[in-house]
Amino acid sequence: MATAKKVSLDKIRNIGIIAHIDAGKTTVTERILFYTGKNHKIGETHDGEGTMDWMAQEQERGITITSAATTCFWKDSQINVIDTPGHVDFTVEVERSLRVLDGGVAVFDGSAGVEPQSETVWRQSDKYKVPRIAFVNKMDKMGADFFMSLKSIEEKLTDKGVAVQIPWGSSQDFQGVIDLITMKAYTYEGNHGMEMVEHAIPDEYKDQAEEYREIMLDKISMFDDELADLYLGGEEISVNMIKLTIRKGVISNELYPVMCGSALKNAGVQAVLDGVVDYLPSPSEIGYVEGKNPDNGEDDKRKLSEDENTSALAFKIVNDPYVGTLTYVRVYSGVVRSGESLMNPITGKKERVGRLLLMHANKREEVNEVPAGNICAFLGLKDVRTGHTLCDIKNPIILEEMEFPEPVISMSIEPASKKDQEKMGLGLGKLAYEDPSFKFYTDEESGQTIIAGMGELHLDIIVDRLKREYKVEANVGKPQVSYREAIQIEAKGEGKFTKQTGGRGQYGHVLLRVELLEDEEKNYEFVSEIVGGTIPKEFIPAIDKGAQETMKKGILAGFPIINVKVTVYDGSYHEVDSSEVAFKVATFKALKDAFSKAEAVILEPVMDVEVTTPDEYMGDVMGDLSSRRGRLEGQEQRGQATIINCKVPLSEMFGYATDLRSFTQGRANYVMKFANYEKLPDTMMKELIEERTGKFKSLDDN
């Protein structure tokens, strides 16, 4: 068994490659693996040979679906790399990766600048305070424009970006990069651009290089007084001082260096590796990881050091067909050794660490211990979920948990035969265990199994994996939208449940109030204003539980209810006949009564849609979006194409990819992400309620 190569904590970098779909993340990662000697040949995404895109579905589609981890070495530093998906349906993969990373490389398409998913992953990085460097890729592509991309970063993402390089040419004239720190030009020659060749800056680029160097020095001078003095005095500033000052700005999340190149043409990626080492923080510079003491709920923290008590976070779970369940873990403090037991403070159970594996995409290397600062996989854990903490048994801590979005789309799935029934249940269970944004359940009315996820592609991949990995033949229904129910005004309701049989009866009586929650991030809140014992304390939890169950099942048409505060303020009970069941039923009746007065409505998920179309198809695209109840939010010109931003209900977007290809001859494309829930139009609401309940209900009666 190998021992992990020992690298001091200050020489470790945990980074993620993040970007919009098709910006070239995986191509950048493949170059990183080649230049660091991890791979001896370059796997191209478009040939289905990418190392990090190892799943069959990824290779066929040429996209990243699951985040993959690997470890490589550059100069004297260890770089743990996670290549994340760019498609919005797999945004949870980005979310959980960012939670455990210390730095990121944001990749942009040089011809498109900041795209919708670029914004999403950038905001996710902001949420987790992840320092970043930016790489404007595809500078060899037709229409590539570094300065447009730089401007779009400033306008759409942050005013803290600063160019540390500019391109030497662009599109078919792209030759290399001009470094504003060394004030030298570089080309990448030899086998796969392995050799960085230094040149004097060509005369036609000197003025531009001087201009952008001034901007860079002006921007970074705020991070170091000595550099600021030298800059203001017009004196020479050393390369080392500039790099150390940029590092200060990056680590404090106040500066984002912008680099450029073409990963496909093997230009600029070595400079990105230098940037990762020079500018992004090591675990020791992050300092501490924060959490809570499970015994008293108070804030706690662990120093990112091998000498601290052990703490680690499980951020991804994979069912490997050869070795079983792999739990990807970031070790924050202490040293984890194979065979030892750790505490899962979420479940309160001890977990024995079987084998420890360093991952290289889907290949693995067994080691006997993993020190702080590293990312690895644990084998043998029994009851650990994504977001759970593993820690020292005597000194427990719960690290900050992750939050995952609720699914917005669902479809029914039926096994093709009885033989597939059991396999399907097992397969769905394992897939849901891996993916916190995927859910499945049985519809109580129809008895059908329903799968729910983040988009059509997400569910398509789930069904494909069921067939390939779990050998399940299944038939799927049409995609269904995950509607929600909500109230518009405050209202009161009363519910009484009485039942007298031969023996003991049932009695529960509840008066409650429903109102909109001010905090829209919370879907439900329960408050008891019972005084004087009109309802005994022991029945209050039953009322809360009854309300929560009603929220899940819905009232109008069986959809979950969101953004509601329920306050129970009065009621009555019977000394003998009252029970928890009676109060749960009475609560449902009271909520139904309150809903009938609260102007209840059905909400539908609305998507942010961005369509990129050649100008000649603009009219057709706009007309089609309008027919889908699309609401124009804005448009802009980008080269010969028009970018249309609009909001469109998810229910109208099924099959859009095929339709768009058809009337633009395959030249337009689009991306969409969930925006918010909005009220369904009255006529559609009536139809939906009628369809769901089997009988017409006028809105006036609701």
Side-chain angles (χ1 to χ4, degrees):
M1 189 188 299
T3 300
K5 183 175 175 181
K6 195 76 172 172
V7 176
S8 64
L9 208 56
D10 65 318
K11 295 294 185 186
I12 292 175
R13 303 289 183 272
N14 290 306
I15 67 160
I17 312 294
I18 56 173
H20 181 90
I21 191 168
D22 281 342
K25 293 177 307 303
T26 303
T27 307
V28 169
T29 309
E30 290 299 325
R31 293 329 185 256
I32 287 173
L33 298 181
F34 179 75
Y35 295 133
T36 58
K38 189 75 183 182
N39 281 357
H40 299 297
K41 73 183 276 286
I42 291 174
E44 300 293 11
T45 310
H46 52 265
D47 294 332
E49 294 179 354
T51 306
M52 303 298 270
D53 287 349
W54 55 270
M55 287 172 66
Q57 295 86 347
E58 294 178 312
Q59 292 172 351
E60 287 168 4
R61 289 169 166 84
I63 61 169
T64 303
I65 291 166
T66 180
S67 50
T70 192
T71 298
C72 55
F73 295 86
W74 182 247
K75 298 181 177 172
D76 60 347
S77 293
Q78 173 183 325
I79 304 176
N80 300 320
V81 185
I82 295 182
D83 176 30
T84 65
H87 196 287
V88 68
D89 280 17
F90 308 107
T91 191
V92 68
E93 286 288 335
V94 185
E95 185 89 11
R96 58 182 170 186
S97 299
L98 286 169
R99 172 65 181 82
V100 298
L101 294 171
D102 302 325
V105 177
V107 181
F108 300 91
D109 180 330
S111 68
V114 175
E115 297 173 271
Q117 189 65 3
S118 315
E119 291 188 62
T120 303
V121 296
W122 192 272
R123 305 288 173 232
Q124 286 174 306
S125 303
D126 285 342
K127 174 181 171 182
Y128 291 110
K129 299 183 176 66
V130 177
R132 276 144 279 169
I133 59 178
F135 178 60
V136 178
N137 191 25
K138 302 191 178 185
M139 287 309 304
D140 61 310
K141 186 178 171 183
M142 185 65 71
D145 186 338
F146 175 78
F147 302 101
M148 173 277 292
S149 298
L150 190 63
K151 193 166 189 288
S152 73
I153 289 171
E154 183 182 336
E155 290 176 348
K156 295 181 179 178
L157 302 181
T158 177
D159 60 359
K160 296 170 183 172
V162 61
V164 294
Q165 295 175 340
I166 59 172
W168 178 354
S170 63
S171 301
Q172 68 269 26
D173 299 322
F174 177 68
Q175 295 185 60
V177 299
I178 295 166
D179 190 303
L180 303 176
I181 299 171
T182 61
M183 286 303 275
K184 298 285 183 187
Y186 296 91
T187 53
Y188 296 83
E189 298 170 15
N191 181 31
H192 297 298
M194 286 282 283
E195 192 183 345
M196 280 179 69
V197 180
E198 186 181 296
H199 307 264
I201 297 173
D203 290 343
E204 65 268 33
Y205 288 97
K206 279 182 178 171
D207 289 347
Q208 194 178 46
E210 288 290 352
E211 177 192 346
Y212 278 89
R213 179 179 165 89
E214 281 294 309
I215 294 170
M216 177 190 75
L217 291 174
D218 183 54
K219 214 156 195 174
I220 70 170
S221 62
M222 65 182 285
F223 300 106
D224 188 278
D225 292 341
E226 187 183 347
L227 184 144
D229 290 340
L230 292 172
Y231 171 60
L232 291 170
E235 295 177 52
E236 192 66 34
I237 305 170
S238 72
V239 167
N240 192 49
M241 179 180 275
I242 292 173
K243 286 185 175 180
L244 288 173
T245 305
I246 290 173
R247 183 180 184 82
K248 284 182 192 173
V250 172
I251 291 174
S252 64
N253 248 311
E254 292 293 322
L255 192 71
Y256 304 105
V258 183
M259 310 173 86
C260 61
S262 167
L264 191 62
K265 297 296 182 191
N266 308 306
V269 176
Q270 293 104 314
V272 170
L273 280 164
D274 285 337
V276 166
V277 172
D278 289 341
Y279 308 135
L280 293 178
S282 67
S284 57
E285 285 164 307
I286 299 295
Y288 292 88
V289 61
E290 294 180 351
K292 290 195 180 294
N293 184 319
D295 296 329
N296 55 27
E298 291 180 5
D299 290 343
D300 199 355
K301 60 184 179 181
R302 288 279 190 275
K303 189 179 179 186
L304 302 190
S305 161
E306 292 178 33
D307 303 324
E308 264 275 20
N309 294 313
T310 302
S311 69
L313 186 75
F315 68 95
K316 181 179 170 66
I317 291 165
V318 175
N319 291 299
D320 188 290
Y322 302 107
V323 296
T325 302
L326 284 169
T327 307
Y328 282 73
V329 176
R330 161 74 191 265
V331 180
Y332 281 99
S333 59
V335 179
V336 177
R337 296 176 178 84
S338 59
E340 78 172 316
S341 291
L342 296 172
M343 168 68 76
N344 179 346
I346 307 287
T347 62
K349 295 177 183 175
K350 290 179 187 176
E351 291 277 354
R352 186 179 178 276
V353 180
R355 293 156 64 195
L356 294 170
L357 305 171
L358 289 183
M359 301 302 296
H360 178 44
N362 63 333
K363 299 182 178 70
R364 44 191 110 44
E365 173 195 352
E366 191 168 347
V367 294
N368 50 25
E369 64 175 43
V370 178
N374 280 280
I375 290 170
C376 66
F378 290 8
L379 259 181
L381 304 184
K382 290 188 169 55
D383 194 22
V384 174
R385 300 265 174 175
T386 300
H388 281 190
T389 300
L390 291 161
C391 61
D392 188 73
I393 294 170
K394 292 179 181 174
N395 298 279
I397 185 173
I398 298 177
L399 303 179
E400 184 187 351
E401 290 189 72
M402 304 181 204
E403 293 176 2
F404 299 109
E406 284 298 309
V408 295
I409 186 172
S410 62
M411 59 173 68
S412 61
I413 183 167
E414 292 178 355
S417 67
K418 231 173 185 166
K419 188 177 73 174
D420 290 306
Q421 178 82 48
E422 192 177 327
K423 286 196 292 183
M424 187 177 89
L426 184 70
L428 288 173
K430 287 192 171 182
L431 290 169
Y433 192 60
E434 283 187 22
D435 182 353
S437 65
F438 168 65
K439 304 269 195 306
F440 73 98
Y441 57 93
T442 303
D443 186 292
E444 290 179 11
E445 290 177 18
S446 66
Q448 288 181 309
T449 300
I450 306 295
I451 57 175
M454 303 309 296
E456 284 182 277
L457 179 61
H458 187 195
L459 294 185
D460 186 27
I461 297 294
I462 291 287
V463 173
D464 195 29
R465 289 188 65 192
L466 266 182
K467 289 178 179 177
R468 293 195 202 210
E469 295 171 33
Y470 299 99
K471 307 292 184 276
V472 175
E473 286 302 319
N475 304 311
V476 295
K478 286 183 179 176
Q480 301 292 319
V481 174
S482 294
Y483 294 100
R484 297 288 185 265
E485 298 179 13
I487 58 170
Q488 296 188 92
I489 60 170
E490 185 178 315
K492 292 180 177 178
E494 182 175 6
K496 186 179 279 189
F497 178 61
T498 57
K499 191 176 181 183
Q500 202 61 49
T501 53
R504 181 180 163 182
Q506 295 279 6
Y507 183 90
H509 178 212
V510 172
L511 284 93
L512 52 75
R513 182 172 65 251
V514 293
E515 56 194 298
L516 269 171
L517 268 174
E518 287 180 20
D519 182 359
E520 290 191 1
E521 302 241 330
K522 288 167 71 179
N523 273 334
Y524 170 77
E525 188 179 320
F526 178 77
V527 176
S528 171
E529 291 180 354
I530 296 296
V531 288
T534 52
I535 299 175
K537 279 183 182 175
E538 61 263 31
F539 293 127
I540 301 298
I543 297 171
D544 183 12
K545 197 170 181 187
Q548 287 189 52
E549 287 176 6
T550 306
M551 295 294 134
K552 284 179 187 169
K553 292 178 182 175
I555 291 172
L556 282 182
F559 298 114
I561 300 165
I562 60 171
N563 299 129
V564 174
K565 179 181 178 181
V566 177
T567 305
V568 56
Y569 64 88
D570 204 356
S572 61
Y573 74 105
H574 187 281
E575 283 190 6
V576 177
D577 292 348
S578 282
S579 67
E580 288 190 3
V581 171
F583 273 102
K584 278 172 73 173
V585 176
T587 301
F588 170 71
K589 288 172 172 277
L591 281 169
K592 202 171 178 185
D593 182 35
F595 249 60
S596 68
K597 305 164 190 168
E599 296 180 8
V601 292
I602 292 177
L603 305 176
E604 63 177 340
V606 174
M607 313 301 283
D608 275 325
V609 179
E610 181 180 279
V611 184
T612 304
T613 176
D615 292 345
E616 61 260 42
Y617 301 112
M618 231 217 18
D620 292 336
V621 171
M622 295 282 280
D624 181 71
L625 287 169
S626 179
S627 73
R628 295 172 189 269
R629 294 193 284 134
R631 198 168 67 239
L632 185 67
E633 299 273 297
Q635 63 186 68
E636 62 177 284
Q637 200 68 24
R638 195 178 288 161
Q640 298 301 306
T642 300
I643 314 294
I644 300 165
N645 290 292
C646 55
K647 279 192 162 58
V648 189
L650 176 61
S651 61
E652 305 287 351
M653 290 301 290
F654 295 136
Y656 184 61
T658 307
D659 292 347
L660 184 66
R661 273 198 302 269
S662 147
F663 62 73
T664 64
Q665 298 179 0
R667 292 174 62 199
N669 58 65
Y670 82 102
V671 289
M672 69 176 183
K673 63 180 179 182
F674 173 73
N676 57 294
Y677 279 98
E678 292 181 10
K679 179 178 177 264
L680 194 64
D682 288 355
T683 52
M684 297 181 74
M685 201 179 335
K686 285 181 181 179
E687 287 170 11
L688 187 58
I689 291 171
E690 183 181 6
E691 180 191 321
R692 295 276 294 186
T693 58
K695 60 183 183 295
F696 184 79
K697 282 186 177 182
S698 77
L699 286 171
D700 297 333
D701 295 335
N702 285 321

